[in-house]
Amino acid sequence: MGYNITADEIREQFSQAMSAMYQQEVPQYGTLLELVADVNLAVLEYNPRLHEQLANADELTRLNVERHGAIRVGTAEELSWLRRMFAVMGMYPVSYYDLSQSGVPVHSTAFRPVDDAALARNPFRIFTSLLRLELIENESLRNKAAAILAKRDIFTPACHQLIELHELNGGFTAPQADAFVQEALETFRWHRHATVDEQTYQALHNEHRLIADVVCFPGCHINHLTPRTLDIDRVQALMPKYGIEPKILIEGPPRRDVPILLRQTSFKALDEPVLFNGEHQGTHTARFGEIEQRGVALTPKGRALYDQLLAEAGTGKDNLTHQLHLQDVFKAFPDSEMMLRKQDLAWFRYRLTPTGEAHRQMIRPGEDPQPLIERGWVVAQPITYEDFLPVSAAGIFQSNLGNETQARSHGNASKAQFETALGCPVLDEFTLYQEASERSKRRCGLL
């Protein structure tokens, strides 16, 4: 039997199927895709240098397929099964995020591809949050939430079987891969019928809106899918013309010549009709649309400077004032690729030019790449940041959950507890970027 379907192919098929499903469920997401495609096309037409850079770095082909989603689960068992499901698609848990510090009672990781070729083909990511039941202060409500979660299975029986089959055989045939995508999709589908009565929903909702979202439904419905734009400021300005109401602030760093890390915005969460037990009608607010603009990944030194400047900048009341203030504060962060390399603030991937290949024997391990770049022997390409910002993630959550939750603060992070639930350690993002940079240097003879 030919188990010849690759994890990349399954991930690509699944991400396309999820995008089609979400477009049906949330029509505004389709409008968002149109807006982002229009903006990206305009940026590439007016900036041929950027077009060439993206093409040379294998970034252009992935741009239109790139998505990240977000889900929330309630139990360790659900998280562990998700890890096994995403492994079929070549997606692994990277980094630990403690959102409880921002008043959101979850901790999280991001499942994503980790090697260069997989990322170049389809960098699908799912930001996955686990509810921290211990942060529900009301003991009877905490016990009730645990009992509700214990009764549900967010995976179809066939999905369980297919995951175990893949683990047993180390692969799928084409029909098995098709079946897996369809069964896995059911985990993330929106269910209008809640699993609780309205009174229970309201009690959990009053404790925290996100708790109600996690506990009261049959699955871990996808909360948003996020396309990647090349100009988030333009998207934010155009959203109202497309009939979309944006959140007030763009999260993350300011606009720069060399974009860094991640900038995000979103449209506000939709009020969606639901049926509670007893067929009582109500509404639930959780699902929204998000857009991101990605820049270069920062080294630990660069990230420390970023965190310091972001804390110094604080939060503005309106986007224009906030962005201008951010730009002023971030003047302390170098904004040229050469300075980012020179000061060891960002990660780069290196490759030899044809001239460099002709002089390969003259390149010595440990040599400074900068003179070789100036000589035209080596090209340095920024490594795209593939992960998330804890502050941005929390900001997006909060803007769609209501500002009244922002002041609430919860307990300390528990990475060890999260990894126990997950069933493995999370990978370290800095290590992954360093390894990618070092691999490229080795190919050039610089290591």
Side-chain angles (χ1 to χ4, degrees):
M1 196 175 286
Y3 301 113
N4 54 356
I5 306 299
T6 67
D8 288 347
E9 288 171 320
I10 298 171
R11 182 176 67 260
E12 196 160 52
Q13 192 180 339
F14 178 79
S15 66
Q16 288 169 356
M18 182 180 273
S19 187
M21 179 182 79
Y22 197 64
Q23 212 163 324
Q24 285 183 327
E25 293 181 348
V26 182
Q28 269 199 323
Y29 166 67
T31 308
L32 203 62
L33 293 182
E34 289 173 24
L35 168 57
V36 168
D38 290 347
V39 169
N40 287 351
L41 191 62
V43 169
L44 292 170
E45 281 179 356
Y46 287 105
N47 194 335
R49 184 169 169 270
L50 176 64
H51 189 285
E52 185 183 3
Q53 282 178 333
L54 291 172
N56 288 338
D58 283 334
E59 289 278 319
L60 205 54
T61 50
R62 76 180 223 176
L63 183 63
N64 291 333
V65 299
E66 187 159 351
R67 299 285 183 274
H68 96 243
I71 56 171
R72 304 154 184 169
V73 295
T75 68
E77 187 180 14
E78 290 174 353
L79 182 67
S80 178
W81 271 100
L82 280 173
R83 171 183 57 79
R84 295 166 68 183
M85 172 194 280
F86 289 130
V88 174
M89 306 182 214
M91 297 163 68
Y92 305 97
V94 179
S95 293
Y96 171 76
Y97 303 86
D98 172 34
L99 301 191
S100 72
Q101 299 303 303
S102 300
V104 184
V106 299
H107 44 186
S108 316
T109 192
F111 290 96
R112 68 167 178 87
V114 295
D115 69 70
D116 298 341
L119 286 164
R121 174 155 180 173
N122 189 316
F124 187 51
R125 314 168 189 88
I126 295 283
F127 191 83
T128 302
S129 299
L130 174 64
L131 179 63
R132 296 183 66 184
L133 280 172
E134 74 274 14
L135 297 181
I136 299 178
E137 291 160 11
N138 182 318
E139 186 181 355
S140 66
L141 197 60
R142 184 167 67 243
N143 293 338
K144 189 166 194 177
I148 295 165
L149 290 169
K151 288 178 188 170
R152 78 176 184 183
D153 187 348
I154 63 173
F155 306 93
T156 67
C159 188
H160 282 297
Q161 290 163 8
L162 284 162
I163 291 169
E164 289 172 338
L165 184 68
H166 189 276
E167 291 171 346
L168 182 67
N169 295 330
F172 276 151
T173 63
Q176 287 168 348
D178 291 343
F180 169 78
V181 167
Q182 291 311 309
E183 296 296 333
L185 206 60
E186 292 307 309
T187 298
F188 307 100
R189 191 179 295 282
W190 169 248
H191 295 276
R192 224 183 123 208
H193 283 80
T195 56
V196 300
D197 57 40
E198 192 168 10
Q199 186 180 358
T200 302
Y201 172 88
Q202 210 56 54
L204 291 165
H205 182 278
N206 291 345
E207 183 72 15
H208 196 293
R209 290 189 189 193
L210 187 140
I211 297 171
D213 183 58
V214 175
V215 175
C216 299
F217 295 90
C220 59
H221 43 262
I222 191 85
N223 273 281
H224 62 81
L225 272 182
T226 303
R228 177 180 167 192
T229 184
L230 299 172
D231 187 347
I232 202 165
D233 301 280
R234 183 75 180 138
V235 169
Q236 177 90 351
L238 285 174
M239 280 168 82
K241 292 182 182 176
Y242 281 70
I244 301 170
E245 183 188 357
K247 69 186 291 294
I248 295 169
L249 300 181
I250 295 173
E251 304 276 349
R255 187 183 186 93
R256 294 164 41 92
D257 289 337
V258 183
I260 58 172
L261 296 176
L262 178 69
R263 303 179 72 203
Q264 293 178 303
T265 189
S266 68
F267 64 71
K268 300 219 173 147
L270 310 168
D271 288 328
E272 301 185 79
V274 295
L275 281 174
F276 298 108
N277 285 355
E279 296 299 297
H280 292 144
Q281 292 194 349
T283 60
H284 178 64
T285 309
R287 303 196 304 160
F288 56 94
E290 187 179 274
I291 312 99
E292 64 188 17
Q293 181 174 355
R294 290 185 173 267
V296 63
L298 299 184
T299 63
K301 181 182 175 185
R303 184 58 185 264
L305 178 58
Y306 168 84
D307 288 344
Q308 175 197 323
L309 295 176
L310 196 70
E312 187 184 318
T315 304
K317 295 292 182 191
D318 68 272
N319 193 51
L320 179 61
T321 308
H322 178 59
Q323 295 303 325
L324 289 172
H325 179 55
L326 268 181
Q327 285 184 336
D328 191 47
V329 172
F330 269 77
K331 284 176 182 172
F333 204 114
D335 195 11
S336 76
E337 290 186 8
M338 187 181 77
M339 292 306 292
L340 290 173
R341 286 194 303 272
K342 200 169 181 180
Q343 295 187 27
D344 188 32
L345 296 172
W347 297 111
F348 288 82
R349 191 176 277 115
Y350 299 87
R351 64 176 175 85
L352 294 179
T353 64
T355 310
E357 283 287 0
H359 294 86
R360 179 184 276 275
Q361 73 281 3
M362 297 175 66
I363 297 172
R364 300 284 173 265
E367 196 170 348
D368 180 5
Q370 190 56 38
L372 301 176
I373 291 168
E374 291 168 9
R375 207 178 295 167
W377 291 11
V378 170
V379 172
Q381 297 163 331
I383 295 180
T384 300
Y385 185 63
E386 305 288 354
D387 297 288
F388 297 88
L389 302 172
V391 174
S392 274
I396 291 286
F397 271 41
Q398 294 293 12
S399 66
N400 288 290
L401 291 170
N403 292 331
E404 73 275 7
T405 62
Q406 289 192 17
R408 300 179 65 170
S409 178
H410 291 291
N412 294 325
S414 181
K415 185 180 178 185
Q417 178 193 342
F418 184 85
E419 290 181 331
T420 299
L422 186 64
C424 72
V426 296
L427 300 172
D428 178 69
E429 64 180 67
F430 292 113
T431 302
L432 292 174
Y433 295 122
Q434 182 176 348
E435 288 173 351
S437 184
E438 288 177 353
R439 276 196 302 273
S440 71
K441 283 185 173 180
R442 208 167 283 117
R443 284 194 295 268
C444 294
L446 288 162
L447 269 186

